[in-house]
Amino acid sequence: MSDGFEFCDALGPTKVIHVYEPTINLLGILVVDNTAAGPSIGGLRMAPDVSVRECFRLARAMTLKNAAAGLPHGGGKSVLFGDPKMPAEQKEELIRAFAQALRGNRDYIFGPDMGTNEVCMAWVRDEIGVSVGLPREIGGIPLDEIGATGWGLYHAARIAAQHSDIDLQGARVVVQGFGAVGKHAARFLTHAGAILVGASDSQGMISNPLGLDVQQLIAHKENGHSLGTFANGQTGEPDNVVDIECDIWIPAARPDVINENNVERLNTRIMIQGANIPCTASAEERLYQRGILVIPDFIANAGGVICAAMEYQGSTQSAALQAIEEKIANNTEEVLTLAKQENLAPRQAATQMAEKRVRNAMTYRRFSSFSNAPNYS
Ligand code: NAD
């Protein structure tokens, strides 16, 4: 098929909407991929260089992530063209107008993503009555502040370590990217007895085989400094973080950071994927051949969306953290068991498990991907 239908397969997408309003330079896309399990949840991304293809890939990733996490939600994603650092009034006007243009879509729930945050979600809710990832004052559970995704990474690491005969007590951890995901993963893992031996941000890297103090590193970042200027260790370029010998390596920065050019340099036993698609497909295949255990992104980093789904149900922060722990620990266990039984790479096993859950949900539907969202009005 052509004319934009080239993405269609047995799962979706069920809907692709282009929004255009020339008077305010509004150009946006919504892709609702699959809603068999419930109304789709996915982030609103704001960037100057997004595309329908990227939006579709991100929406499909949400279908699999939400299904793998056992959430009553399908997958969707929306993108707005523009520089997220534009003046606040202009950004607010665009986001409010985009939400208004999509107000009739009950099968998509906006959440935060790159270039948007809880304030943007408050604007969306003010316009159309629903969104997730809200400020605390209006019922939100601030997922980045509490470290929802880092908490999930910790539990994925805990189960992966058991499967690899690694004692978390004393396990050497390296974290690439020390933002909302990376710093909390480091915090939870070191709290459980692991040792942070290396970390990086976009400007530099710090390593110390005797261990780095996570609270001091967090304070250093909060004071506006790069990790590459931290005193207690050996500093270097951001990319040097790939070479540090460790037991658990956590990418928590950008896509495709491990690729054909550097995959042989990784010196770890386990990778827990915090960032989305941090490895190219061939690099991940190479890690599998090298016997490095990889817990794929949509299993390991689902803590944020689990938290958002719990917020949507009106749940509390402690219940959300409990749900993240249970779901991610159980899913990691299930994926690793399936991978072992069927001799599959963990990503293949995880995809098989998630797709099966989506297909099962689809059997209950007459039109499997049409909206089954509640009526908000
Ligand atoms: P963030 O902006 O808070 O932090 C990103 C960190 O990565 C920053 O410290 C930045 O300096 C660093 N960085 C950027 N380029 C780098 C490079 N080349 N080398 C080393 N460090 C680099 O972002 P975040 O919310 O922590 O998200 C990180 C990743 O995890 C993103 O890929 C995001 O899509 C993904 N993710 C986030 C969540 C969440 O809950 N926030 C959930 C799932 C997936």
Side-chain angles (χ1 to χ4, degrees):
M1 276 194 273
S2 61
D3 294 335
F5 288 100
E6 64 269 26
F7 311 124
C8 295
D9 62 19
L11 301 187
T14 181
K15 199 185 276 180
V16 179
I17 298 177
H18 292 256
V19 177
Y20 178 50
E21 177 45 69
T23 56
I24 56 167
N25 280 329
L26 166 63
L27 189 57
I29 303 163
L30 167 67
V31 174
V32 178
D33 182 42
N34 187 294
T35 60
S40 66
I41 287 192
L44 165 60
R45 178 166 292 197
M46 189 166 191
D49 57 352
V50 282
S51 64
V52 180
R53 175 174 293 277
E54 183 185 353
C55 191
F56 165 68
R57 281 180 63 207
L58 294 165
R60 174 57 52 87
M62 289 311 298
T63 299
L64 297 181
K65 187 184 289 194
N66 293 345
L71 298 174
H73 293 285
K77 200 85 180 181
S78 57
V79 295
L80 254 184
F81 290 80
D83 179 356
K85 294 199 172 87
M86 68 175 61
E89 313 79 64
Q90 194 188 347
K91 186 168 179 177
E92 179 172 352
E93 183 178 44
L94 281 181
I95 289 177
R96 284 182 180 274
F98 189 48
Q100 272 300 336
L102 295 172
R103 67 187 175 278
N105 278 284
R106 299 208 180 96
D107 48 13
Y108 173 65
I109 301 165
F110 283 90
D113 192 64
M114 273 166 54
T116 62
N117 59 15
E118 60 188 33
V119 176
C120 302
M121 292 305 108
W123 296 332
V124 170
R125 197 180 81 160
D126 187 42
E127 292 297 325
I128 63 173
V130 64
S131 65
V132 290
L134 290 162
R136 207 187 276 278
E137 297 79 9
I138 53 173
I141 305 174
L143 57 95
D144 279 345
E145 188 186 308
I146 66 173
T149 301
W151 177 240
L153 293 181
Y154 158 61
H155 288 288
R158 190 169 60 73
I159 303 299
Q162 284 167 12
H163 278 255
S164 301
D165 285 330
I166 294 174
D167 191 351
L168 262 197
Q169 189 74 35
R172 296 162 304 165
V173 175
V174 169
V175 176
Q176 181 196 45
F178 216 66
V181 174
K183 71 178 176 192
H184 288 294
R187 186 166 65 82
F188 292 122
L189 278 159
T190 52
H191 189 71
I195 302 168
L196 184 71
V197 294
S200 65
D201 59 23
S202 59
Q203 282 154 30
M205 176 285 310
I206 177 87
S207 70
N208 186 338
L210 300 176
L212 294 157
D213 186 314
V214 175
Q215 290 305 340
Q216 281 180 12
L217 283 182
I218 292 174
H220 189 71
K221 286 286 290 176
E222 282 171 356
N223 288 332
H225 307 299
S226 162
L227 295 185
T229 62
F230 192 71
N232 188 20
Q234 189 185 336
T235 57
E237 294 300 311
D239 187 46
N240 297 144
V241 78
V242 175
D243 303 300
I244 305 170
E245 185 181 348
C246 62
D247 301 300
I248 302 173
W249 200 87
I250 300 184
R254 310 273 313 149
D256 296 340
V257 290
I258 298 300
N259 49 55
E260 297 62 38
N261 300 323
N262 62 9
V263 65
E264 302 301 338
R265 285 166 42 199
L266 261 190
N267 194 353
T268 185
R269 293 175 65 193
I270 295 176
M271 175 190 282
I272 309 290
Q273 297 187 337
N276 292 317
I277 39 171
C279 298
T280 61
S282 63
E284 197 163 306
E285 173 64 29
R286 181 67 191 130
L287 292 176
Y288 181 56
Q289 289 164 1
R290 287 184 54 200
I292 296 173
L293 182 63
V294 174
I295 306 301
D297 43 13
F298 70 90
I299 298 297
N301 75 14
V305 75
I306 296 170
C307 189
M310 296 292 282
E311 176 189 306
Y312 178 70
Q313 288 163 23
S315 198
T316 61
Q317 180 175 316
S318 57
L321 291 172
Q322 179 73 30
I324 292 168
E325 174 175 346
E326 275 174 23
K327 284 175 183 295
I328 293 190
N330 290 343
N331 279 335
T332 306
E333 185 67 55
E334 194 172 327
V335 165
L336 293 181
T337 305
L338 182 64
K340 204 173 192 174
Q341 274 167 1
E342 312 247 330
N343 205 15
L344 298 171
R347 182 172 293 274
Q348 285 173 296
T351 305
Q352 212 178 84
M353 179 186 92
E355 286 188 355
K356 189 171 167 196
R357 289 182 188 176
V358 179
R359 284 180 213 284
N360 285 347
M362 288 169 81
T363 62
Y364 299 110
R365 310 290 308 283
R366 182 154 66 98
F367 301 113
S368 55
S369 51
F370 284 8
S371 174
N372 61 1
N375 191 343
Y376 304 120
S377 54

